[in-house]
Amino acid sequence: MAPLRCLLPLLPALALALGPAAGEARRPLALEALGEAAELAEELWGAGLPGDLPELEPECRHLLAAFAEGSAALTDCLGRRARPGRLCQACHRHYRRLLAQYGNIARAVGNSSESHNCAKSILTSDRLQIVVTLSEFFNETWEAANCANCLKNSSEGLSNSTVEFLDLFNKSLTCFEHNLQGQTIYLSPNNYTEVCKNCNETYKMLNDLYNNLQRMNRQGGESGHSTHLCIDVEDAMNITRKLWSRTFNCSVPCSDTVPVIAVSSFILFLPIVFYLSSFLHSKQKKRILILPKRIQSNASLVNIQEKYS
């Protein structure tokens, strides 16, 4: 509604507010002044004074309305998909559309002169810069969720590895639900053995795929980003692991038990082998030393020489 038209219902309230402040004696004067202001506003409105000043060209108004609708749609999608985390797979189309709408505003020029540049009028004409602030908020949220790691390079859809992971995730949840049918929710952990037994293979495949995705992501996977996995994949894996380990109290048997035991035994016996070998080398047979005959003293030699002389 027009600004002047909006002021008309407020005039009586202003009169009541000004009355006590000015005193009972001045109330008639205040009411009279406000009445004249109301009549003047009605006359101006009847004379055809526009309620909304033409600050934007029609083209710019159309771009601003499109961005507002895109922001509302993306906000609604993010809010509805917050828990459990499904932001990237459900909202990537809204995000791409909003990026395109913001780009249209940044590149668009009005119909007449440079003074009606849509980018200047919409983005930088005031201190708040609401459109810029909203765009930065959505970009930061999208980057914090690492959604680029779930999408293809062109962000047109989910990557093949993400589709494969989500498919295994849904199969795991279906297996859990199928094996829990007909059972009460207050079962002891020992009664979840059927879930652990029948869903072990599916869970192991899901866990292995998640670990492979992490390794691929550190080296730069399909999306070309080398940070954390996207929030959709991380949240799905966290949910599955909590159900598997805490709720069902299941565990994945280690397939490398024999090599682990062999290596551990070897490491444990190393000190024993070391000290035993040291002991054997230190306790050698004593060598029998053959002492050479000592040369007789000089006095004995002199006596022998005198005897034979």
Side-chain angles (χ1 to χ4, degrees), residues 184-223:
T184 60
I185 194 172
Y186 299 104
L187 292 176
S188 62
N190 294 331
N191 290 330
Y192 290 123
T193 53
E194 291 297 322
V195 177
C196 301
K197 178 182 177 181
N198 297 332
C199 303
N200 176 69
E201 188 64 27
T202 306
Y203 175 79
K204 187 175 182 300
M205 292 173 59
L206 180 68
N207 193 63
D208 292 343
L209 179 58
Y210 181 80
N211 293 332
N212 291 334
L213 290 177
Q214 282 187 318
R215 286 192 293 268
M216 288 173 54
N217 203 53
R218 295 189 190 102
Q219 301 171 358
E222 297 178 34
S223 60

Side-chain angles (χ1 to χ4, degrees), residues 75-89:
T75 302
D76 180 74
C77 182
L78 294 176
R80 292 179 182 274
R81 302 291 180 170
R83 293 300 307 163
R86 299 293 184 272
L87 309 181
C88 305
Q89 55 186 306

Side-chain angles (χ1 to χ4, degrees), residues 170-185:
N170 292 329
K171 288 181 179 178
S172 299
L173 295 184
T174 302
C175 184
F176 296 161
E177 183 180 3
H178 176 74
N179 286 273
L180 286 174
Q181 287 180 354
Q183 302 182 16
T184 60
I185 194 172

Side-chain angles (χ1 to χ4, degrees), residues 13-70:
L14 291 174
L16 293 176
L18 291 174
E24 294 296 333
R26 297 184 180 181
R27 177 175 293 183
L29 297 177
L31 291 174
E32 183 179 356
L34 289 175
E36 294 177 357
E39 293 177 0
L40 177 61
E42 284 289 353
E43 292 177 1
L44 292 175
W45 178 261
L49 183 68
D52 293 328
L53 297 179
E55 298 177 358
L56 293 176
E57 290 293 320
E59 179 186 358
C60 301
R61 287 182 179 275
H62 175 74
L63 294 174
L64 183 59
F67 180 84
E69 293 175 359

Side-chain angles (χ1 to χ4, degrees), residues 11 61 67 118 123 135-136 148 162 169-171 177 181 196 199 203 206 220 228 246 261 267 273-274 287 301-302 308:
L11 294 179
R61 287 182 179 275
F67 180 84
C118 291
L123 302 180
S135 179
E136 290 178 351
T162 304
F169 170 69
N170 292 329
K171 288 181 179 178
E177 183 180 3
Q181 287 180 354
C196 301
C199 303
Y203 175 79
L206 180 68
H228 296 288
R246 297 182 184 179
I261 294 177
I267 295 175
V273 174
F274 172 76
R287 296 178 182 177
L301 291 175
V302 170
Y308 289 97

Side-chain angles (χ1 to χ4, degrees), residues 36-176:
E36 294 177 357
E39 293 177 0
L40 177 61
E42 284 289 353
E43 292 177 1
L44 292 175
W45 178 261
L49 183 68
D52 293 328
L53 297 179
E55 298 177 358
L56 293 176
E57 290 293 320
E59 179 186 358
C60 301
R61 287 182 179 275
H62 175 74
L63 294 174
L64 183 59
F67 180 84
E69 293 175 359
S71 300
L74 181 57
T75 302
D76 180 74
C77 182
L78 294 176
R80 292 179 182 274
R81 302 291 180 170
R83 293 300 307 163
R86 299 293 184 272
L87 309 181
C88 305
Q89 55 186 306
C91 305
H92 66 91
R93 293 184 180 88
H94 295 291
Y95 180 70
R96 286 182 57 211
R97 189 177 302 114
L98 188 69
L99 288 181
Q101 291 166 347
Y102 184 84
N104 293 336
I105 294 175
R107 293 188 301 267
V109 178
N111 296 329
S112 56
S113 62
E114 186 179 356
S115 61
H116 294 293
N117 185 304
C118 291
K120 180 179 179 181
S121 300
I122 297 176
L123 302 180
T124 61
S125 61
D126 57 76
R127 178 175 59 85
L128 291 179
Q129 300 180 5
I130 296 297
V131 174
V132 177
T133 302
L134 287 175
S135 179
E136 290 178 351
F137 166 75
F138 289 124
N139 290 333
E140 292 174 358
T141 303
W142 200 255
E143 291 175 2
N146 293 302
C147 288
N149 291 318
C150 282
L151 306 174
K152 298 178 181 178
N153 288 331
S154 56
S155 298
E156 294 179 355
L158 297 176
S159 62
N160 296 332
S161 58
T162 304
V163 173
E164 181 182 1
F165 176 86
L166 293 177
D167 181 61
L168 275 176
F169 170 69
N170 292 329
K171 288 181 179 178
S172 299
L173 295 184
T174 302
C175 184
F176 296 161

